[in-house]
Amino acid sequence: MSAVMRSRTVAWPRRLVHVVLIALALVFLVLFLLLPLATVFVEAFRQGVAPYLEAIKQPEALSAIKLTLLVAVIAVPLNLVFGVAAAWAITRFEFPGKALLGAFIDLPFSVSPVVSGLVYVLLFGAQGWFGPWLDDHGIKIIFAVPGLVLATIFVTLPFVARELIPLMQAQGSEEEEAARVLGASGWQMFFRVTLPNIRWALLYGVLLCNARAMGEFGAVSVVSGHIRGLTTTMPLEVEMRYNEYEYVGAFAIASLLALLALLTLALKSLLEWRYGDEIAAHAPGGH
Amino acid sequence: MRRRVLPGFGISLGYALAYLGLIVLLPLAALAWKASGIGVEGLLRLLSSPRTLAALRLSVVGAVVAALVNAVIGLLVGWVLVRYRFPGRRLFDALVDLPFALPTAVAGIALTTLYAPNGWLGQWLEPLGIKVAYTPLGVFVAMVFVGFPFVVRTLQPVLASLERDVEEAAESLGAQRWQTFFRVILPMLAPALLTGFALALARAVGEYGSVIFIAGNIPMRSEIAPLLIVQKLEQFDYAGAAALGVAMLAISFALLVLVSLLQRWSHRWQERSL
């Protein structure tokens, strides 16, 4: 009797605390995260469906979409190959300076996006190291597509490597060594043992890398020159329209980017839920 | 031994180093070289100008306060998502990553619209005398937004692996719930909390896209440091832009060193209290 009484008096204020904490957290998530997301779609459709579609079908919008896809299609695979190579070297071999290499891989995450663009202007811009030489040979990097690609590669460089390194470290190399001992060639070992072991973590890294590549703003803004139809990616087109008070147009493009973000989140959650163990030890941060 | 069995050491390390050198190190070297062009005196003159100081202060103070707020809210949200079961928990858990996935320019214009005097949230804050859009407060709100997921995501695995029996032991020894939280749970969470704080801080100091729309960019008041770099570039003042870039890198680096010192100290605190 007294035990029941006691457990009740303890349980009920504690349950109240739970409810209050849950409510506080949810109110914050709704006001702070869900409302901005909802704003994007409400503003995009403020004047109805027809102006929305009109805004997306404009030639500048279409060229911005194409450019965004082009930049991502170049930047993401390059960082994928780099991520696999770096993770292989770091997790399978011992060499001096390994910790330093890891720190350098993470470096782009602690550099302001504006500085990430700036460094390429200083390298390839008119007054940059290679500027005069490039000018003589008629090659344009800054205020052109190559600059956008380079700045995007810089900003998204760590994503794949950061997913793979902790996982491959945890997995160890016994299976790969066994494959080699049994006579597999290097590439056979890679495609039949390594790749199947890391595929979901690789996909996870690519997903995050792609989301950032398509959404990057600060770095590409510095190298773009904002030439309509030529060097404006979708986020830059959003900015230009917004600054010209074309709100429906700006939010229409923004809504496409928001859909991409939602798709990314959905796939990410699916991967975590379905293959959580195989993505495993992924270190948080920087996404 | 291992080196002989597994192939590809030379090619994978060589490729990684060459790629990293070309994409990251060479451009950063260009930054340092260009910044050195303005000399020590020029650098001091640039950094001591009131406008630069105001912008650097807003970026640094704003980011530190935003990261502190994120540490508190992140602890609350992480705790609730790990410890309690309620309908829609998975959905809310996925929502936490929204600031990572949403492009910064989109977040920027959405937050501005939301907090503008006629916006969904702004119209309720305006009568209270709270102006968010186009003020330093707006800069702070955007910085909290972009840094939010870091603390939650670093805390969650640690929260999930906390041994319940330690808490139960504390309680069976007569500790109040709040005593258990502050004396037992918080010390165990401190290192992860600091890691999340550091990541949120590093992100917010250099943040550009989500801030510039809501900031209003009023000189001396709501101008952030990265915006000054962009302005210098637009005036073709490459050396000035580079010097500011180096200053920002130095500040980020100093903050991260400070946090890692705090982390070492918190490890000691953790050992002492266990």
Side-chain angles (χ1 to χ4, degrees), chain A residues 82-106 157-158 160-162 164-170 172-173, chain B residues 2-3 6-14 16-17 20:
Chain A
F82 164 76
V84 173
W88 180 255
I90 286 179
T91 62
R92 295 298 180 257
F93 303 97
E94 291 304 323
F95 54 91
K98 197 158 132 169
L100 194 66
L101 178 61
F104 277 133
I105 291 174
D106 280 346
L157 181 134
V160 175
R162 274 190 88 147
L164 291 185
I165 291 170
L167 177 75
M168 287 172 70
Q169 200 89 62
S173 57
Chain B
R2 191 175 275 184
R3 193 166 302 186
L6 292 179
F9 175 62
I11 186 172
S12 64
L13 184 63
L17 286 179
L20 205 59

Side-chain angles (χ1 to χ4, degrees), chain A residues 207-256:
Chain A
L207 196 65
L208 301 176
C209 184
N210 179 65
R212 182 71 193 263
M214 290 190 171
E216 179 49 31
F217 176 71
V220 293
S221 152
V222 171
V223 296
S224 143
H226 293 81
I227 308 163
R228 265 259 163 86
L230 285 178
T231 64
T232 47
T233 58
M234 289 166 76
L236 297 175
E237 184 69 22
V238 169
E239 179 205 19
M240 291 176 81
R241 290 181 176 199
Y242 186 84
N243 288 341
E244 288 160 9
Y245 306 104
E246 247 186 81
Y247 293 131
V248 168
F251 278 103
I253 307 279
S255 75
L256 297 180

Side-chain angles (χ1 to χ4, degrees), chain B residues 189-206:
Chain B
L189 295 179
L193 203 55
L194 275 169
T195 305
F197 173 81
L199 292 168
L201 180 65
R203 176 68 201 263
V205 167

Side-chain angles (χ1 to χ4, degrees), chain A residues 79 94 112 120 129 268 286-287, chain B residues 3 19 23 33 97 100 206:
Chain A
N79 280 340
E94 291 304 323
S112 170
Y120 288 105
W129 268 357
K268 184 173 170 295
H287 301 156
Chain B
R3 193 166 302 186
Y19 190 86
I23 296 290
W33 168 77
D97 279 328
F100 284 156

Side-chain angles (χ1 to χ4, degrees), chain B residues 142-200:
Chain B
M143 284 175 166
V144 173
F145 183 85
V146 293
F148 174 69
F150 291 102
V151 175
V152 181
R153 291 302 183 226
T154 37
L155 276 181
Q156 273 178 325
V158 185
L159 274 169
S161 68
L162 277 187
E163 304 281 348
R164 289 283 180 114
D165 46 354
V166 182
E167 288 168 52
E168 278 159 20
E171 270 160 56
S172 70
L173 291 172
Q176 295 290 323
R177 189 65 186 146
W178 60 270
Q179 282 176 322
T180 314
F181 182 78
F182 283 102
R183 298 259 184 97
V184 178
I185 299 172
L186 206 55
M188 291 198 281
L189 295 179
L193 203 55
L194 275 169
T195 305
F197 173 81
L199 292 168

